[in-house]
Amino acid sequence: MIIGIDLGTTFSAIAMVRDGLPVLIAHADERIMPSVVGLTAQGALVVGTPARNQYVFAPEQTIRSIKRQMGQETRVALGEQTYTPADISALILRELKRRIEAHVGQPVDRVVITVPAYFSDAARQATREAGELAGFVVERIINEPTAAALAYGLDQRAEQQLVAVYDLGGGTFDVSIIELDAGVIEVRASHGNTQLGGDDFDQRLAEYLAVGFEADHGVDPRSDIRAWARLLRAAEHAKIALSSQPFVQVREEYLVSQAGAPLHLDREISRAEFEGLIADLVEGTLESFDAALNDAGLNVEALDRIIFVGGSTRIPLVWQMVADHTGIEPETEINPDEAVALGAAIQAAIIAGEPLDTILVDVTPHSLGMEIANWEFGHLVPDCYSVIIPRNTTIPTTRSEVYSAITPDQTAIAIKIYQGEHPVASQNMLLGEFLIDHLRPEVAGQPPRVTVQFDFDINGILHVAAVDRGSGKECRISVKAAHAQLTPADIAHNRAALDALELEGGDDASAGAGPVNLEAQGLLARARRALINSQSDQTALAEAIATLEVALRHGDHDAIETNVESLIDLIYDLEDE
Ligand code: ADP
Ligand code: MG
């Protein structure tokens, strides 16, 4: 038996092939383990989550991101001793070895370990040495983008392909252009930023929370190490929540005290606010993307696909910006923080000569959404379809969106749940419906708003919950929806076929709200509210809303962008009144 290990900068994972199928090996509730090593106050060695938790309180007793130093002639201090980067990585690998041995109930010695494509020979050598120090026979060191391509089964395709692997993790960003031809995988170019990742997003959000807190209470939580640690952790949780919902409530009781009185943090953050905080960082990854293409001597048109790797690619803005920039829908079906380990396990099985099936992923074969009414040319058009879970999303998944009632005195909203791709809701398959009533506006004089959450579980049951943001009242229903087990290749094939169909379909093209259009959808909701609340004549606004809706329905990116801008101007003018 040979296992695969993704030895990551912030998180590591183990996978193996069992009965021909690559599977990730979880330990207790953890699918991935923080790549952090620490010494407790009592002098005990800790690896993984306990070490990660103690970092902010005891940074001198904790080592993280050791991967950045692999291959360098340096020593890091931990307690009284100093260690090489390979020694520290060996401690992480040893813990992973212990976990997999506990899982399979026998010794496991042989391993394939992944490294970034840009790693130097010295860094590769240090990784090999770390594996040996941990007691492994290192069968092979392979590149992370190569492993990701293996997880997607790309080596099994006959035709030549050019693929970009976009990997945005916790502490690093890499993009590699790889070429596949008759099962041979070659990295043509690689680019990135070794100091950019999810940690920076947490930092930005924590700073933002701290500044707001200081403005409210006159105390800067950054000056208290304990408070800052809690803010960073709260920021990461909020960030993760915002990948699947439009708002998150950040609550930290007793964050700091002032003159003996406890001060609490309790504030709502919207996805749009968070996106504003990180947009420039994501923008920077696009420059690296172009640089990698350039190094490979390619235009974006030459690319066949983009695959997403790294936990931070779950952020919808990242998907949206890459899709907008390249015109290609990035593929995300295999869990982005697990794809590299799964690919390493596939490489291991190939070396061991084990029979191997392609990875199957559970996906939603159809989009799931609900009926809404839209403004068009100043008229309310019912029976529009708003997609909440786009087709080909890996399940289980949770997504939610906020919808506004039409008028301030509206007290009920009918939730009609559909499955399908047609922009006219009733042309899709009706899965169920319910009414949420006794709605109360959050702000007097504004229409009430309802958060609708879709939870699609692994058994193919869709749980839908609607919560009135004003009263907190909740209604829920569970319905059966289609789900399918497909290989990533099948999914790509289906997607291409559907895209072609939609192009032929002409006017009704690009059904519903893909993540690309979410910003525009959010803006539309705001514009509609402004329209309803305005006392004066708003013909220009009504027309701008209608034009943007048409652009969205036609999936015309340029028109969407221009119209979003003019709509923003109009709303600002109106809100300034
Ligand atoms: P590594 O950089 O070690 O390869 P990963 O690929 O596992 O690490 O990425 C870890 C990062 O992904 C962390 O910053 C984590 O907060 C972030 N992350 C994980 N899940 C989500 C999510 N749903 N939304 C946003 N960020 C996420
Ligand atoms: Mg990684």
Side-chain angles (χ1 to χ4, degrees):
M1 183 201 316
I2 313 179
I3 59 159
I5 291 185
D6 168 7
L7 183 61
T9 308
T10 52
F11 286 91
S12 295
I14 337 166
M16 63 186 285
V17 170
R18 198 162 45 201
D19 301 327
L21 267 187
V23 286
L24 201 89
I25 305 300
H27 181 77
D29 285 340
E30 263 183 7
R31 296 180 67 81
I32 56 180
M33 182 185 89
S35 307
V36 187
V37 175
L39 273 186
T40 63
Q42 292 72 37
L45 185 73
V46 282
V47 179
T49 299
R52 186 176 197 237
N53 289 344
Q54 75 165 38
Y55 174 75
V56 184
F57 308 109
E60 69 294 339
Q61 296 273 86
T62 316
I63 298 175
R64 45 174 221 171
S65 304
I66 192 64
K67 188 173 174 178
R68 292 203 171 116
Q69 298 180 52
M70 290 297 271
Q72 292 174 14
E73 290 291 327
T74 160
R75 297 185 75 83
V76 289
L78 186 61
E80 313 273 86
Q81 307 248 35
T82 68
Y83 301 88
T84 66
D87 292 335
I88 301 298
S89 290
L91 294 173
I92 298 167
L93 290 168
R94 203 176 68 187
E95 172 62 19
L96 294 171
K97 187 170 191 284
R98 194 186 67 71
R99 290 182 177 193
I100 183 124
E101 287 177 344
H103 183 86
V104 297
Q106 67 182 74
V108 175
D109 301 319
R110 301 168 70 193
V111 68
V112 170
I113 307 176
T114 60
V115 295
Y118 63 78
F119 250 28
S120 65
D121 281 341
R124 285 166 200 264
Q125 194 46 46
T127 305
R128 182 176 286 277
E129 192 186 314
E132 284 160 4
L133 282 170
F136 281 118
V137 175
V138 181
E139 295 287 339
R140 198 163 304 172
I141 299 284
I142 67 167
N143 289 323
E144 287 160 11
T146 304
L150 286 171
Y152 272 86
L154 299 185
D155 59 315
Q156 293 172 14
R157 324 264 326 197
E159 75 273 20
Q160 194 235 26
Q161 288 193 79
L162 285 165
V163 179
V165 179
Y166 176 106
D167 182 347
L168 186 57
T172 58
F173 166 67
D174 298 286
V175 56
S176 304
I177 310 297
I178 57 177
E179 183 174 342
L180 296 109
D181 203 355
V184 179
I185 309 180
E186 189 199 343
V187 179
R188 293 246 317 233
S190 194
H191 227 272
N193 182 344
T194 53
Q195 307 290 332
L196 172 68
D199 290 348
D200 301 285
F201 304 158
D202 302 345
Q203 180 92 17
R204 288 263 175 106
L205 183 53
E207 294 276 351
Y208 181 74
L209 290 167
V211 169
F213 189 87
E214 190 177 10
D216 288 347
H217 302 290
V219 187
D220 184 354
R222 284 167 292 188
S223 54
D224 173 344
I225 190 163
R226 210 158 262 283
W228 179 238
R230 286 176 61 193
L231 264 187
L232 276 174
R233 198 163 351 154
E236 187 185 18
H237 285 151
K239 168 189 80 174
I240 289 174
L242 288 172
S243 290
S244 57
Q245 63 196 52
F247 294 97
V248 66
Q249 195 69 32
V250 185
R251 278 200 193 92
E252 289 291 323
E253 303 271 314
Y254 207 156
L255 186 61
V256 289
S257 63
Q258 189 180 35
L263 295 176
H264 312 299
L265 169 72
D266 189 359
R267 106 167 248 195
E268 189 176 67
I269 299 287
S270 71
R271 184 186 285 166
E273 262 173 301
F274 172 64
E275 290 176 343
L277 295 173
I278 65 164
D280 64 311
L281 298 175
V282 182
E283 188 73 46
T285 69
L286 302 178
E287 284 162 28
S288 298
F289 194 99
D290 292 343
L293 272 177
N294 199 38
D295 289 353
L298 296 172
N299 288 327
V300 70
E301 290 75 35
L303 279 184
D304 294 295
R305 53 219 291 183
I306 299 175
I307 60 185
F308 260 12
V309 177
S312 301
T313 58
R314 289 213 177 87
I315 298 173
L317 179 73
V318 173
W319 195 97
Q320 180 188 321
M321 286 179 70
V322 174
D324 280 351
H325 184 72
T326 60
I328 300 174
E329 290 185 23
E331 292 171 43
T332 57
E333 290 83 24
I334 298 183
N335 271 336
D337 37 23
E338 302 178 358
V340 170
L342 291 168
I346 292 173
Q347 179 64 261
I350 294 171
I351 293 170
E354 273 178 62
L356 191 61
D357 290 333
T358 334
I359 296 182
L360 287 177
V361 282
D362 287 284
V363 293
T364 57
H366 307 290
S367 300
L368 295 161
M370 59 180 259
E371 180 195 317
I372 58 166
N374 268 335
W375 288 97
E376 274 179 41
F377 298 107
H379 295 286
L380 205 55
V381 179
D383 206 12
C384 298
Y385 186 41
S386 169
V387 170
I388 297 183
I389 302 180
R391 65 168 188 259
N392 288 331
T393 302
T394 308
I395 56 172
T397 187
T398 299
R399 299 278 171 97
S400 62
E401 292 297 335
V402 172
Y403 295 94
S404 172
I406 295 161
T407 60
D409 53 6
Q410 184 176 340
T411 56
I413 292 182
I415 312 277
K416 283 188 159 183
I417 304 145
Y418 286 99
Q419 163 179 305
E421 315 305 327
H422 204 283
V424 174
S426 58
Q427 296 293 305
N428 298 302
M429 183 197 258
L430 181 66
L431 298 179
E433 59 187 305
F434 63 97
L435 191 78
I436 175 159
D437 56 4
H438 300 295
L439 301 180
R440 219 185 296 149
E442 295 152 86
V443 181
Q446 302 257 345
R449 293 196 298 167
V450 168
T451 304
V452 178
Q453 176 161 316
F454 277 30
D455 245 307
F456 199 175
D457 73 19
I458 195 73
N459 304 313
I461 308 293
L462 177 67
H463 308 272
V464 177
V467 179
D468 174 24
R469 288 171 56 87
S471 67
K473 178 181 172 177
E474 179 176 326
C475 297
R476 39 176 67 245
I477 188 178
S478 293
V479 293
K480 187 125 185 68
H483 87 289
Q485 274 208 324
L486 299 172
T487 67
D490 293 336
I491 295 168
H493 186 260
N494 288 355
R495 178 186 290 128
L498 270 165
D499 286 349
L501 256 181
E502 281 171 359
L503 282 180
E504 279 168 22
D507 249 23
D508 280 350
S510 95
V516 180
N517 300 330
L518 284 178
E519 181 198 352
Q521 299 281 17
L523 187 67
L524 277 176
R526 195 162 142 206
R528 286 183 204 116
R529 274 199 302 283
L531 187 66
I532 291 163
N533 294 331
S534 167
Q535 309 297 330
S536 51
D537 175 38
Q538 290 303 335
T539 322
L541 182 61
E543 273 170 15
I545 291 175
T547 330
L548 177 56
E549 278 168 353
V550 172
L552 270 171
R553 201 131 16 87
H554 289 234
D556 179 342
H557 287 275
D558 292 341
I560 293 173
E561 247 168 62
T562 349
N563 287 306
V564 159
E565 271 159 32
S566 36
L567 197 53
I568 288 175
D569 291 343
L570 282 169
I571 295 179
Y572 278 157
D573 288 349
L574 200 64
E575 289 176 349
D576 278 350
E577 264 176 19

